[in-house]
Amino acid sequence: MAKCPVCETEYTPNEVETCSVCGYDLTPYPPVIGGIPSGFLEKEKKRIAAAKRVWQLSQSQVESAQLMVSHLQSQLDETTRKIDGFTTTQSRLESQIEAIASQLQSQNEAIASQSQSRLESQIEAIASQLQSQSSQIEAIASQLQSQNEAIASQSQSRLESQIEAIASQLQSQSSQIEAIASQLQSQNEAIASQLESITEAVADTPIVSYSGFDYSQLNRLLKSGQWKAADEKTAKMMCRVAGKTHDGYLNYDDIKNFPCEDLRIIDGLWVKHSRGRFGFSVQKQIYINCGGKPDGSYPKGDDILERYADQVGWRVGRSWILKSDCTFAAIAPCGHLPFWPWLYEWYQVGHSLKSVGVHLFSRAQTCLL
């Protein structure tokens, strides 16, 4: 596992192109002959550092917004508690009214046994008392209603103002992030342009392996998009490196002993000029995704290689294609080129493609492709 240089989110190299959290471009740089210039590496570090600062700033601002929302929620909870308190007070008053009514009922029953005049005076006194209490209750109810409306209005107005302020702040931050993203995009394009200039400046530099084989012509063919000619050149170069110029194909021993440096150079040129669509390492990864194992083993009775061939476009309708049926263009399926089946005893041995092809993937794994 590797970590995103900006947000440190873990990811599996060569399986994702961008970070799932911050969106940073995780596409690995293709190998450059002689190594990447130190000036370019320094600029890349600065660009990553700037992106990391932007990421940290945005996270800090999001946390601040969350704290502000939490504070508003606490204020809302406090207002709710106050309203509940007023409701409890109103319930208590209703209980008191019920108690007074009960008391009045008892008094009425006692008054029934008294004289008429005494009853009238007591009734008048009670009525006066009830009227006074009723006025008090109405005043309390009116006061509670006014307080509830004032609290609701104040809370609503405050919440709306705070929410508008937060929304305005987030909008401003979003504009700043977009401006920074635009600036980073411009920097990426400038760096890509510089890298392309550097690549063009060294385009004519010979690409020679330790074994003495020159891959400059293969580099020129791939760079100019001459895919068919590059495919044929790849076959010839691999046969030359393996010392099989007369046989025209490679067997298991040829692949097992094929020099890693030469295999890395050939693969690196294909991957670089196809922008990651073609090459032995791309084919090996597709084979693994289909369920194959790069250690050379092959599940008995399984159809992994057939599924692989269907995915890269080497089989159509359960029939294996010939070289003349290949799509020598950048729009071909990923892993379609180089078309190596015809190199390895394709016509002579038939199904030996299965074992020899797996050994090619095993060699690619050994050579760290």
Side-chain angles (χ1 to χ4, degrees):
M1 299 294 288
K3 289 185 177 181
C4 172
V6 175
C7 64
E8 298 187 353
T9 299
E10 292 188 346
Y11 71 96
T12 303
N14 297 323
E15 288 188 2
V16 296
E17 295 182 352
T18 58
C19 178
S20 61
V21 175
C22 68
Y24 185 78
D25 185 5
L26 300 176
T27 305
Y29 287 99
V32 178
I33 304 304
I36 299 176
S38 59
F40 172 78
L41 291 177
E42 188 63 26
K43 290 182 179 179
E44 183 67 6
K45 290 179 179 179
K46 291 180 179 180
R47 185 179 68 84
I48 293 175
K52 190 169 186 179
R53 287 195 298 271
V54 171
W55 170 255
Q56 292 173 347
L57 176 60
S58 64
Q59 292 301 300
S60 174
Q61 293 173 343
V62 169
E63 291 176 359
S64 298
Q66 291 175 344
L67 288 174
M68 186 175 295
V69 171
S70 177
H71 179 66
L72 291 175
Q73 185 63 42
S74 299
Q75 292 180 342
L76 183 59
D77 293 342
E78 180 64 23
T79 302
T80 302
R81 284 195 294 272
K82 289 181 179 180
I83 293 174
D84 291 340
F86 289 129
T87 303
T88 302
T89 301
Q90 186 173 359
S91 177
R92 188 182 300 116
L93 288 173
E94 291 175 353
S95 298
Q96 292 177 353
I97 293 172
E98 290 177 359
I100 292 172
S102 177
Q103 182 181 2
L104 290 175
Q105 179 67 27
S106 299
Q107 291 176 355
N108 287 335
E109 292 176 355
I111 291 171
S113 61
Q114 298 176 3
S115 62
Q116 183 66 29
S117 61
R118 189 175 179 182
L119 284 174
E120 290 177 354
S121 61
Q122 289 180 347
I123 289 173
E124 289 177 359
I126 291 171
S128 176
Q129 183 180 2
L130 286 175
Q131 186 175 2
S132 176
Q133 291 177 347
S134 177
S135 300
Q136 293 178 357
I137 290 172
E138 290 178 357
I140 293 173
S142 176
Q143 183 180 3
L144 288 175
Q145 179 67 23
S146 299
Q147 290 178 349
N148 287 339
E149 292 177 354
I151 290 172
S153 176
Q154 183 180 8
S155 300
Q156 181 70 20
S157 177
R158 184 182 305 148
L159 285 175
E160 289 178 353
S161 299
Q162 292 176 345
I163 290 173
E164 288 178 358
I166 292 173
S168 177
Q169 184 177 4
L170 290 178
Q171 180 68 26
S172 176
Q173 293 173 354
S174 176
S175 299
Q176 293 176 358
I177 292 173
E178 289 179 357
I180 294 173
S182 177
Q183 182 179 2
L184 290 177
Q185 179 66 24
S186 299
Q187 292 177 353
N188 287 340
E189 293 175 354
I191 291 172
S193 178
Q194 292 177 0
L195 181 59
E196 183 176 357
S197 299
I198 293 172
T199 303
E200 292 177 354
V202 299
D204 296 329
T205 302
I207 304 175
V208 182
S209 67
Y210 290 128
S211 304
F213 293 97
D214 188 352
Y215 294 94
S216 300
Q217 185 179 359
L218 176 60
N219 180 52
R220 287 191 293 269
L221 292 173
L222 288 169
K223 181 179 180 181
S224 60
Q226 300 181 56
W227 305 108
K228 183 175 182 180
D231 186 83
E232 295 175 350
K233 186 64 176 179
T234 298
K236 292 179 181 178
M237 289 298 298
M238 292 185 69
C239 288
R240 285 182 56 194
V241 173
K244 304 295 288 288
T245 56
H246 297 294
D247 294 341
Y249 62 86
L250 304 180
N251 56 32
Y252 166 72
D253 291 331
D254 297 327
I255 297 173
K256 180 180 178 181
N257 299 312
F258 199 89
C260 281
E261 188 202 13
D262 292 82
L263 194 62
R264 280 195 293 266
I265 291 176
I266 295 172
D267 176 70
L269 293 175
W270 275 96
V271 172
K272 172 185 176 183
H273 294 296
S274 68
R275 297 185 180 274
R277 294 184 60 83
F278 304 143
F280 296 128
S281 58
V282 176
Q283 294 171 342
K284 183 202 73 174
Q285 188 58 50
I286 296 174
Y287 172 73
I288 294 174
N289 294 342
C290 290
K293 299 180 179 179
D295 59 0
S297 61
Y298 189 87
K300 186 176 181 180
D302 206 337
D303 60 349
I304 293 175
L305 195 62
E306 284 74 13
R307 294 203 305 271
Y308 162 81
D310 290 337
Q311 186 165 340
V312 300
W314 290 357
R315 287 206 328 168
V316 178
R318 297 182 177 273
S319 298
W320 292 81
I321 68 172
L322 300 177
K323 180 184 177 182
S324 58
D325 299 320
C326 277
T327 302
F328 292 104
I331 60 173
C334 285
H336 190 70
L337 300 174
F339 183 71
W340 47 259
W342 59 276
L343 282 174
Y344 313 122
E345 303 172 319
W346 174 246
Y347 301 108
Q348 291 84 350
V349 188
H351 289 293
S352 67
L353 170 63
K354 178 176 293 186
S355 60
V356 177
V358 172
H359 290 309
L360 174 63
F361 294 140
S362 176
R363 187 58 178 168
Q365 181 74 8
T366 302
C367 296
L368 301 178
L369 267 64

